[in-house]
Amino acid sequence: MMESYVSLLSKTPLFTGIAEREVEPFLQHMGARRRHFGKGGFVFYAGDDINTIGIVLSGQVHIVQEDYWGNRNILTAMQAGQFFGEAFATLPEEKAIVDVIAVEDTDILFIHVASVIKATDEFSLPGRKLVHNLLCLLAQKNLLLTKKIRYISQRSTRHKLMAYLSDEARQHGKATFTIEFNRQQLADYLSVDRSAMSAELSRMQKDGLIFYHKDTFTLFQ
């Protein structure tokens, strides 16, 4: 079942230090299962009880918050090799406060947290490495959430865009780069109105701060 994904998983940060040959028997031992979700399908809903960690094998999911009136805020996007749901899975008394939605056809591997904890003892070396990697990745996710808080706490749409685009340029190491969101998704991520954001992008281009075409941006000093 997992043969086609073992190479991908062995290269992800979650499986760092675990030999490729150990990945499949390790997952089988933990009872990992794969599920397919079509575009627009909900992986889970806010209010659900979550006891598994999800690893994206192919496709992409968005972690979103939606209020009573349907206003949507994208917290983050998860690509192949990235995982989600760990915060809720490790706190079984807490219900999910976000929706997870497949934005294209997506395959996800689910691992029960209880199996991970059990594997720490029964599969001593791979299990301990997995838990260590999980803790490191949780710390990295906290940094990503700190970034998002910085974006949405900016006073204006322009300042939100500048903070986000500046970080993207630094991450890519160059002034021209491609972002992972379309216009609506970027507006949802920055918690701004799409029309207002598009108008601000046009003004920023006229002011000589940026040039953009679709999801490709160039920043000017």
Side-chain angles (χ1 to χ4, degrees):
M1 179 181 70
M2 297 298 163
E3 294 94 341
S4 58
Y5 296 109
V6 166
S7 180
L8 166 69
L9 291 170
S10 66
K11 293 179 176 64
T12 65
L14 190 59
F15 287 85
T16 296
I18 301 176
E20 184 171 331
R21 68 179 182 278
E22 296 177 303
V23 173
E24 187 175 1
F26 182 46
L27 292 175
Q28 290 177 347
H29 180 77
M30 293 193 298
R33 59 190 176 87
R34 178 176 60 89
R35 285 189 60 192
H36 177 79
F37 296 85
K39 180 179 180 180
F42 279 74
V43 180
F44 63 72
Y45 295 88
D48 284 353
D49 292 314
I50 307 300
N51 55 20
T52 58
I53 297 171
I55 304 174
V56 181
L57 298 174
S58 65
Q60 180 183 182
V61 301
H62 282 173
I63 314 298
V64 305
Q65 284 183 321
E66 191 168 295
D67 65 21
Y68 184 82
W69 296 274
N71 299 306
R72 179 171 290 183
N73 175 23
I74 297 177
L75 298 179
T76 188
M78 293 292 169
Q79 316 283 347
Q82 296 181 305
F83 70 98
F84 61 89
E86 71 290 340
F88 307 116
T90 53
L91 294 171
E93 69 279 4
E94 296 291 334
K95 294 183 181 296
I97 58 172
V98 297
D99 298 321
V100 178
I101 304 172
V103 295
E104 56 187 87
D105 285 349
T106 300
D107 287 311
I108 298 173
L109 180 70
F110 292 97
I111 303 174
H112 281 270
V113 167
S115 298
V116 175
I117 296 171
K118 187 178 180 181
T120 304
D121 298 322
E122 297 185 1
F123 248 79
S124 57
L125 185 57
R128 288 170 187 168
K129 287 181 177 178
L130 186 73
V131 171
H132 174 268
N133 294 340
L134 181 60
L135 291 173
C136 292
L137 291 168
L138 284 170
Q140 291 175 13
K141 281 197 174 184
N142 282 335
L143 292 176
L144 292 176
L145 289 175
T146 300
K147 275 187 178 182
K148 181 173 171 65
I149 290 170
R150 183 167 66 85
Y151 301 152
I152 64 177
S153 64
Q154 300 294 321
R155 293 181 178 273
S156 67
T157 298
R158 175 172 290 206
H159 285 108
K160 291 181 180 183
L161 286 165
M162 290 175 69
Y164 171 75
L165 293 172
S166 293
D167 282 352
E168 287 295 299
R170 291 191 186 100
Q171 182 177 330
H172 286 83
K174 53 186 178 181
T176 298
F177 52 88
T178 300
I179 66 173
E180 60 185 340
F181 298 125
N182 62 32
R183 288 290 178 272
Q184 184 60 61
Q185 291 167 352
L186 180 58
D188 291 341
Y189 180 69
L190 296 177
S191 298
V192 296
D193 177 76
R194 176 182 174 176
S195 296
M197 185 194 72
S198 295
E200 190 58 52
L201 285 171
S202 296
R203 285 191 287 268
M204 290 171 68
Q205 184 159 272
K206 288 181 181 178
D207 291 344
L209 294 173
I210 63 172
F211 174 80
Y212 65 92
H213 177 68
K214 294 184 179 179
D215 57 354
T216 300
F217 287 78
T218 300
L219 307 190
F220 302 113
Q221 293 183 331

